[in-house]
Amino acid sequence: MEPAPRDISRQLARPLQAGDFSLAVQLYRLARTELTASSHHLGGLALFQTGNHQEAIDSLKKAIHLDSENESIVLDLYAMVLEFQGTNKAEQVLEDAIAKQRESISLRELLAQHHLDQNNAQNALGVFDSALELFPNQPELKLQRALCLQRLGDSNQALAEIELLIESGAALPNLEQACGLVLQCQSNHKKAVIHLQKATTQNPDDLEALFLLGKSHRALGNQAQALSALKQVRDKKPSHENCLLELGNLFLEQNEFDQARDTYLALQEIAPQNASLHFNLGQLYRVHNQIGQAIECFDKACEF
């Protein structure tokens, strides 16, 4: 009779929690008997932290072999493989996990997001379609599918599906924001404002909805409302690139050239490859007859 796998997860957890990854690796490597999935999992995390990336990946694969339904192991393996072995192998990690965990909605959502991160909305749509065949009553999946349609350019169908979710009373925190986004993409800013105001009322901390609200107000010429919304987003999240660009553009429209320049330069610090930033900053310099700086900015815009 073979001995049961040895569980050293407690011994590994102590140095891991203390940040002593080298000691955890030493303990893991010294264990010569068969180990449990949790032991391989923690050992793999320690190996990863010490730069032993391939050995870490191999350890997590051992952990999954022993416990194929543990999503936390899958997520850690996916992150490691994505960083060090590329998108195709990372995708395969998720495909293999889904084959063993067909009831996992979260893994399917992660696979869809993986495709979206690679700018492949068509594959993401396929993932959501297959998920909805198994889970037809999941409103979050329906919403994500609708947003995939939007990314694929089918905004009419996307809007129709989102409006059906709203009519059904689906309790999704980002539903009104999604509706506002699609309407904004259709340049229906007046109706977008209605849904985005609902979104910010329901969730005052939804900075993306507040940004979109400011953007639609600017498109409608409601400069005071746009300025108020965009400043709130900037103050709460100074690294919001799209907000800084929109706010700089608004200052430029208001002939607030100093504030526009300062806002564009703040954006340049965090997004130096933003072509729109360099073009608009060039426009600002051109207005001030600073032709040399304007040309330099226009040249940079062309590079990106």
Side-chain angles (χ1 to χ4, degrees), residues 219-232:
L220 291 168
N222 304 329
Q223 292 192 341
Q225 294 97 318
L227 186 62
S228 175
L230 294 172
K231 277 187 172 182
Q232 287 181 64

Side-chain angles (χ1 to χ4, degrees), residues 124-137:
L125 182 64
V127 173
F128 286 123
D129 283 341
S130 64
L132 282 165
E133 289 178 6
L134 292 171
F135 314 103
N137 299 316

Side-chain angles (χ1 to χ4, degrees), residues 87 112-124 151-152:
T87 58
Q113 186 59 53
H114 174 84
H115 288 308
L116 290 173
D117 290 342
Q118 311 310 314
N119 294 317
N120 195 335
Q122 190 64 56
N123 280 3
R151 288 185 62 158
L152 288 167

Side-chain angles (χ1 to χ4, degrees), residues 205-229:
D205 295 325
D206 187 346
L207 295 184
E208 194 59 29
L210 190 57
F211 160 69
L212 293 172
L213 179 61
K215 188 175 179 180
S216 277
H217 272 310
R218 175 177 168 244
L220 291 168
N222 304 329
Q223 292 192 341
Q225 294 97 318
L227 186 62
S228 175

Side-chain angles (χ1 to χ4, degrees), residues 143 147 172-181 192 195-215 228-234 236-237 240 243:
L143 176 58
L147 291 174
L172 296 172
N174 55 342
L175 186 54
E176 293 289 350
Q177 182 209 115
C179 190
L181 170 64
H195 289 278
L196 293 169
Q197 283 178 334
K198 287 181 182 178
T200 56
T201 299
Q202 292 169 0
N203 183 6
D205 295 325
D206 187 346
L207 295 184
E208 194 59 29
L210 190 57
F211 160 69
L212 293 172
L213 179 61
K215 188 175 179 180
S228 175
L230 294 172
K231 277 187 172 182
Q232 287 181 64
V233 177
R234 181 200 61 187
K236 292 178 181 178
K237 189 177 180 182
H240 196 303
C243 176

